């Protein structure tokens, strides 16, 4: 079965949607951040603090390079995975890519108590989030086959949309 790749800004719900899509056990969930943590033997904030963002991005690109080998997998990515063109290319060629869109207001709300996102540490303002989202939007758009507005849909509705897109994506693939 074709892979499903979930992309989108921090706290848009990639992991929750991924778990929901895999709950019947038909597809396997792989979380890119969890794979990075396992490889590094450190949490994400520890990686950023000790070896820095560039080393984190290198690890992320390495883990993304493994995605080519997956089948029947839902891949939940980190929000910055689209920053590198090589990652975007690999993801786009590895399955159906869904961009889960969120709003700066929701990002602020859902990351308020969060100590786990080093890029939002210190200066967690709506302006900073808006700026980061605007900078990344063209990259998400470049990578995605489809997008879903998370603020207009609950989890089961998002899952239904994903499966509808999945059917369409697969029928296009086999008809072209
Ligand atoms: C990042 C998002 C995080 C994690 C790291 C960097 C980013 O993942 O990969 O902190 O650059 O947006 P989530 O999107 O799951 O928070």
């Amino acid at each position: 079965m074709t892979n499903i790749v979930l992309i989108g800004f921090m706290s848009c719900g990639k992991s929750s949607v991924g778990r929901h899509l895999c709950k019947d056990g038909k597809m396997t969930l792989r979380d890119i951040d969890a794979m990075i943590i396992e490889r590094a033997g450190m949490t994400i904030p520890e990686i950023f603090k000790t070896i820095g963002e560039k080393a984190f991005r290198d690890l992320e690109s390495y883990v993304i390079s493994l995605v080519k080998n997956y089948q029947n997998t839902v891949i939940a990515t980190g929000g910055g995975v689209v920053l590198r063109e090589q990652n975007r290319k690999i993801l786009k060629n590895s399955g159906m890519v869904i961009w889960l869109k969120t709003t700066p207001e929701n990002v602020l709300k859902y990351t308020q108590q969060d100590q786990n996102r080093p890029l939002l540490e210190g200066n967690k303002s709506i302006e900073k989030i808006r700026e980061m989202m605007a900078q990344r939007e063209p990259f998400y758009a470049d990578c995605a086959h489809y997008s879903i507005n998370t603020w207009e849909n609950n989890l089961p509705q998002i899952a239904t949309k994903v499966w509808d897109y999945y059917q369409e994506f697969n029928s296009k693939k086999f008809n072209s």
Side-chain angles (χ1 to χ4, degrees):
M1 267 164 89
T2 311
N3 297 318
I4 298 175
V5 181
L6 301 172
I7 62 168
F9 202 78
M10 286 173 264
S11 86
C12 68
K14 293 161 294 201
S15 302
S16 314
V17 172
R19 278 193 296 274
H20 196 85
L21 294 173
C22 294
K23 73 176 177 354
D24 63 3
K26 289 193 182 136
M27 292 181 87
T28 309
L29 178 64
R30 285 197 192 247
D31 188 296
I32 298 298
D33 277 350
M35 292 170 73
I36 295 170
I37 292 166
E38 198 184 311
R39 287 216 152 245
M42 286 185 264
T43 64
I44 304 263
E46 281 166 354
I47 299 174
F48 272 72
K49 204 166 147 207
T50 57
I51 52 177
E53 181 171 355
K54 159 92 173 51
F56 171 82
R57 296 292 171 208
D58 289 343
L59 264 170
E60 186 175 51
S61 290
Y62 171 70
V63 172
I64 291 294
S65 74
L66 305 176
V67 166
K68 292 196 279 277
N69 308 318
Y70 298 163
Q71 280 176 347
N72 203 31
T73 300
V74 176
I75 299 138
T77 61
V81 76
V82 293
L83 293 171
R84 289 192 178 173
E85 190 187 2
Q86 67 186 97
N87 296 342
R88 299 199 297 274
K89 266 196 185 148
I90 292 173
L91 292 175
K92 204 161 185 171
N93 289 320
S94 301
M96 175 184 74
V97 184
I98 302 264
W99 173 16
L100 297 175
K101 290 187 173 179
T102 182
T103 61
E105 290 74 16
N106 278 350
V107 174
L108 191 64
K109 185 162 101 189
Y110 296 133
T111 61
Q112 206 68 265
Q113 307 300 326
D114 191 351
Q115 308 295 313
N116 220 16
R117 291 184 166 103
L119 290 179
L120 294 180
E121 275 311 292
N123 178 16
K124 208 178 278 180
S125 68
I126 194 96
E127 289 77 24
K128 159 116 191 221
I129 293 167
R130 265 198 202 111
E131 190 187 309
M132 280 182 84
M133 278 179 104
Q135 189 228 338
R136 289 175 174 193
E137 248 161 41
F139 301 129
Y140 293 125
D142 176 50
C143 190
H145 296 106
Y146 299 100
S147 67
I148 298 172
N149 294 338
T150 57
W151 63 93
E152 290 171 342
N153 296 282
N154 61 26
L155 205 46
Q157 287 166 333
I158 293 173
T160 302
K161 282 189 188 286
V162 172
W163 293 127
D164 287 347
Y165 288 141
Y166 195 65
Q167 273 202 339
E168 185 184 289
F169 182 82
N170 282 327
S171 67
K172 272 190 192 159
K173 202 170 72 179
F174 293 118
N175 289 330
S176 61

